Amino acid sequence: MADTIVMRRRDFWTSLFLIVVSAFFLYQTSLIPFFKADAAGVQGAWFNSAALVPFGIFSALLLLACALLVIAIKGGGATRPFESEALGFTAAEAERLLCVAAILCAYIFLLVPRVDFIACSALLITALIWGFHTGNATARRLSTVMVLLPATYAGIAHFPRAEWTKPHDDDIATLVAFVLLTLLMFGYERRRGLVTGVVRLTPVIAVCAPLLLVVAMAFGFRQNVPNRQGLIFSQIEYHYYVTLKPLWSER
């Protein structure tokens, strides 16, 4: 029961944070015009607006955060919310939060603007699933380091905006980090004898989720995607317009 109350108190603060974040980004999204879009040569169509995808994502996030807040309050999460002991805040918990913050900051501010979206998202998903699914400290630290290394390189080698779409050395560094982290994950869990279904599915989810997302955004919703000149997406875009699209355009 005590552990459940601690979890509900954490859910309480997490939901408040997510509500603030989603509300902020919904406000920023509202500044993008829905009916003055200009995508793929079509003007004034709401489904071509760049606001469509972020509006859907952050609206869903806001609804989920509100639902989490209600659950947390009903479970007693609003009682003694300011006491660290009541929150179960320990040194291990502080390290976990620090690792999450470091990974997300590296992804948002260093990797996404400079590195191929599919590559850096695959690295992020692998790090978050393996590093935090079981609560193992070694997995968490290895995951954090493997994200910070290519992010630091990308930030140093291509810091100014003019360098963001330069040669793909940072894309390659990120792909290498993803492969190494995947190998470390399987090797470490095999030594522990804990190669579970989650571990086996992690690289599949890590690759397929951002791949499907970026293809849907770029060719389905006609939205812009981060770093179109990235190592992987540039090849996808090239073969879509040069190899695949002519197959049905000529008919």
Side-chain angles (χ1 to χ4, degrees):
M1 176 62 79
D3 290 341
T4 302
I5 293 296
V6 169
M7 290 177 62
R8 292 296 170 262
R9 290 183 181 123
R10 293 176 182 173
D11 290 343
F12 175 78
W13 285 110
T14 301
S15 62
L16 291 179
F17 173 76
L18 292 176
I19 287 172
V20 172
V21 170
S22 56
F24 170 77
F25 282 105
L26 281 174
Y27 169 73
Q28 293 296 321
T29 302
S30 69
L31 301 178
I32 303 173
F34 260 92
F35 297 101
K36 294 182 180 179
D38 186 0
V42 180
Q43 293 186 352
W46 63 270
F47 50 82
N48 287 319
S49 174
L52 183 62
V53 171
F55 184 80
I57 291 173
F58 291 111
S59 294
L61 181 61
L62 180 61
L63 292 175
L64 291 173
C66 290
L68 180 61
L69 180 62
V70 172
I71 294 171
I73 292 175
K74 287 183 176 180
T79 59
R80 300 168 60 198
F82 296 100
E83 297 183 13
S84 60
E85 292 182 0
L87 288 168
F89 197 74
T90 62
E93 183 67 14
E95 180 189 336
R96 187 181 71 86
L97 292 176
L98 182 63
C99 288
V100 170
I103 289 173
L104 292 179
C105 287
Y107 175 76
I108 295 170
F109 297 109
L110 295 176
L111 290 176
V112 170
R114 301 169 176 83
V115 177
D116 182 89
F117 180 79
I118 299 171
C120 65
S121 296
L123 176 61
L124 172 78
I125 293 170
T126 303
L128 290 180
I129 293 178
W130 182 53
F132 300 92
H133 172 68
T134 62
N136 183 276
T138 301
R140 181 170 62 243
R141 292 163 187 166
L142 285 172
S143 297
T144 304
V145 170
M146 294 307 294
V147 173
L148 290 178
L149 285 176
T152 303
Y153 174 78
I156 294 174
H158 303 289
F159 180 77
R161 181 181 290 271
E163 294 285 326
W164 289 3
T165 57
K166 293 297 182 181
H168 303 302
D169 51 327
D170 48 355
D171 295 338
I172 295 172
T174 303
L175 281 174
V176 170
F178 165 65
V179 172
L180 286 177
L181 181 59
T182 302
L183 293 176
L184 282 171
M185 175 181 66
F186 278 104
Y188 183 77
E189 296 301 329
R190 194 182 302 277
R191 288 183 59 185
R192 297 174 66 204
L194 297 172
V195 184
T196 62
V198 173
V199 173
R200 295 189 184 96
L201 284 175
T202 294
V204 178
I205 296 171
V207 173
C208 291
L211 178 62
L212 293 175
L213 175 62
V214 79
V215 168
M217 286 176 61
F219 309 119
F221 294 101
R222 302 290 180 142
Q223 301 293 306
N224 196 13
V225 298
N227 197 354
R228 299 186 79 95
Q229 288 76 33
L231 180 64
I232 300 175
F233 182 77
S234 61
Q235 293 301 310
I236 294 174
E237 190 171 40
Y238 172 81
H239 286 291
Y240 173 79
Y241 286 110
V242 175
T243 306
L244 297 178
K245 194 173 181 179
L247 295 178
W248 60 78
S249 298
E250 295 174 357
R251 296 178 181 178

